């Protein structure tokens, strides 16, 4: 009897060890999150950083426009959140999807964010730049990470 219990316990220990190495692919649905800026939302007591993009900061040229576009795209929508990881601040990093598709990709495609942290949207950004979409029509998008480094008083959400 005790031998059987040992086998069962060992099986669950191995299963737990394997699970801890598998990537988390948790998905859930939200609606009407608070949009903090062009790449960060707040919902259910948690900040969520959008995967693979960096939008202008609120004190930076284009910051208000990026926030407004994200707010417009999410307003009144059923949003599927797919966690891709966590950032160095412990925030959830996730892709957001609505009936329009991948919101992260759309922010870059419409010219209100740059591809960052991953190569997922690099070609999308190049296309938006060539077509002079969104903020690329004017002065372009200044590097948000450089802005944060040179403006210590900037509200950091990246």
């Amino acid at each position: 009897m005790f031998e059987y219990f040992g086998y069962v316990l060992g099986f669950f220990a191995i299963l737990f060890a394997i699970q801890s190495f598998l990537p988390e692919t948790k998905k859930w649905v939200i609606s009407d999150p608070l949009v903090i800026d062009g790449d960060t939302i707040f919902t259910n007591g948690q900040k969520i950083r959008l995967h693979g993009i960096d939008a202008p900061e609120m004190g930076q040229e284009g910051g208000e426009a990026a926030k407004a576009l994200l707010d417009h795209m999410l307003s009144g929508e059923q949003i599927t959140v797919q966690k891709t990881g966590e950032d160095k601040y412990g925030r959830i990093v996730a892709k957001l999807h609505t009936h329009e598709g991948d919101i992260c990709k759309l922010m870059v495609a419409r010219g209100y964010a740059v591809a960052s942290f991953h190569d997922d949207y690099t070609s999308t950004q190049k296309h938006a730049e060539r077509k002079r979409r969104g903020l690329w029509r004017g002065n372009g998008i200044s590097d948000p990470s450089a802005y944060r480094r040179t403006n210590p008083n900037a509200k950091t959400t990246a």
Side-chain angles (χ1 to χ4, degrees), residues 3-13:
E3 186 176 315
Y4 175 75
F5 180 71
Y7 289 129
V8 171
L9 189 59
F11 173 75
F12 283 110

Side-chain angles (χ1 to χ4, degrees), residues 39 49-54 115-120 145 148 158:
D39 57 30
R49 178 79 163 79
L50 275 62
H51 169 89
I53 71 171
D54 202 3
S116 188
F117 310 109
H118 297 279
D119 293 333
D120 296 359
S145 62
R148 289 188 296 272

Side-chain angles (χ1 to χ4, degrees), residues 81-98:
V81 179
Q82 180 181 3
K83 182 177 178 179
T84 60
E86 291 184 8
D87 67 9
K88 64 183 179 182
Y89 303 107
R91 294 175 296 188
I92 292 170
V93 177
K95 290 185 177 186
L96 306 181
H97 290 84
T98 67

Side-chain angles (χ1 to χ4, degrees), residues 8-116:
V8 171
L9 189 59
F11 173 75
F12 283 110
I14 291 169
L15 189 62
F16 178 75
I18 291 170
Q19 180 185 7
S20 67
F21 290 105
L22 294 175
E24 189 172 332
T25 58
K26 187 175 182 183
K27 288 185 181 182
W28 65 96
V29 176
I30 62 170
S31 59
D32 296 321
L34 173 65
V35 174
I36 295 172
D37 61 18
D39 57 30
T40 310
I41 63 170
F42 184 83
T43 185
N44 299 325
Q46 297 179 319
K47 276 188 181 180
I48 299 175
R49 178 79 163 79
L50 275 62
H51 169 89
I53 71 171
D54 202 3
E57 295 297 326
M58 293 306 294
Q60 189 176 8
E61 184 178 347
E64 291 288 340
K67 178 183 177 181
L69 176 62
L70 182 59
D71 190 47
H72 174 74
M73 288 195 297
L74 300 180
S75 182
E77 292 288 332
Q78 180 174 317
I79 306 155
T80 301
V81 179
Q82 180 181 3
K83 182 177 178 179
T84 60
E86 291 184 8
D87 67 9
K88 64 183 179 182
Y89 303 107
R91 294 175 296 188
I92 292 170
V93 177
K95 290 185 177 186
L96 306 181
H97 290 84
T98 67
H99 78 280
E100 286 191 77
D102 181 346
I103 295 300
C104 305
K105 183 175 184 176
L106 289 171
M107 287 295 291
V108 175
R110 293 179 180 173
Y112 289 88
V114 294
S116 188

